[in-house]
Amino acid sequence: MEISNILSLSKTIQHAIQAMIYIDLDKGKSKVSKIAEECNIPASYLSKIVQKLSTANLLETSTGRTGGILLGKPSTQIKVSDIIAAVSYKEKNKDLCILGIDRCTDLAKCPIHDSWKPLKDKIARELGGKTLKELTQGMIKKKKILIENASKF
């Protein structure tokens, strides 16, 4: 296992972000089944994620033949941190150690606390400042580069 793997977001968060980007790109009412297919996410799992995002007012959902999913507000007003907060398990103790060893604070530190805390804070600032619109625009650029350089990958 590469050390960079511990810095990956959970699958739930990844799926939520992917779905939100897809919905932003789609510009119309999206269906869970279509998003699940396009993003390679199990539909039942995505339904639960969509429900959480809807509860947080990040998505609007409607049922029936003309139903679907829309963004609950403009993508410029949705922060990545909002998406993460909507789908993340709410820990009773926010001071949980990255090593899983009880609480970890500046007073009661684990062996890697002093190295990890600045990284954790920087990641939180970076994600907190990014909007869904920025992610969507970044994915458009990425796809364009991948298409233009398909023979190199």
Side-chain angles (χ1 to χ4, degrees):
M1 177 173 129
E2 290 183 30
I3 195 73
S4 62
N5 288 342
I6 67 168
L7 296 178
S8 295
L9 298 170
S10 74
K11 281 290 183 195
T12 301
I13 294 170
Q14 289 176 9
H15 291 331
I17 291 171
Q18 290 169 359
M20 293 291 284
I21 290 170
Y22 182 90
I23 294 164
D24 190 28
L25 287 169
D26 198 30
K27 301 296 182 207
K29 284 186 181 176
S30 302
K31 301 276 188 191
V32 169
S33 58
K34 182 70 173 165
I35 300 167
E37 181 183 324
E38 293 292 323
C39 297
N40 197 27
I41 303 169
S44 59
Y45 187 42
L46 182 58
S47 292
K48 292 175 186 176
I49 292 170
V50 165
Q51 185 176 28
K52 289 179 179 182
L53 293 167
S54 177
T55 299
N57 298 316
L58 299 178
L59 293 177
E60 291 180 5
T61 60
S62 57
T63 57
R65 200 168 57 155
T66 60
I69 306 165
L70 295 168
L71 293 180
K73 51 187 161 181
S75 59
T76 55
Q77 295 175 17
I78 299 173
K79 297 207 180 284
V80 176
S81 57
D82 297 333
I83 299 169
I84 293 170
V87 299
S88 293
Y89 173 71
K90 307 288 190 269
E91 289 289 343
K92 289 182 183 178
N93 184 351
K94 294 181 182 178
D95 296 330
L96 287 177
C97 175
I98 188 172
L99 299 176
I101 305 169
D102 201 15
R103 292 180 58 203
C104 193
T105 66
D106 289 338
L107 180 61
K109 303 175 184 182
C110 77
I112 63 170
H113 179 82
D114 288 334
S115 299
W116 175 244
K117 185 179 179 201
L119 294 172
K120 183 174 83 169
D121 292 344
K122 181 174 171 126
I123 292 167
R125 279 192 310 276
E126 289 290 324
L127 290 178
K130 295 280 183 203
T131 65
L132 176 59
K133 185 66 167 181
E134 290 173 297
L135 294 184
T136 302
Q137 290 171 337
M139 290 307 296
I140 291 168
K141 289 178 188 175
K142 179 181 178 178
K143 284 185 179 187
K144 183 179 177 188
I145 290 169
L146 288 173
I147 291 168
E148 291 172 353
N149 296 285
S151 63
K152 296 178 186 176
F153 294 104

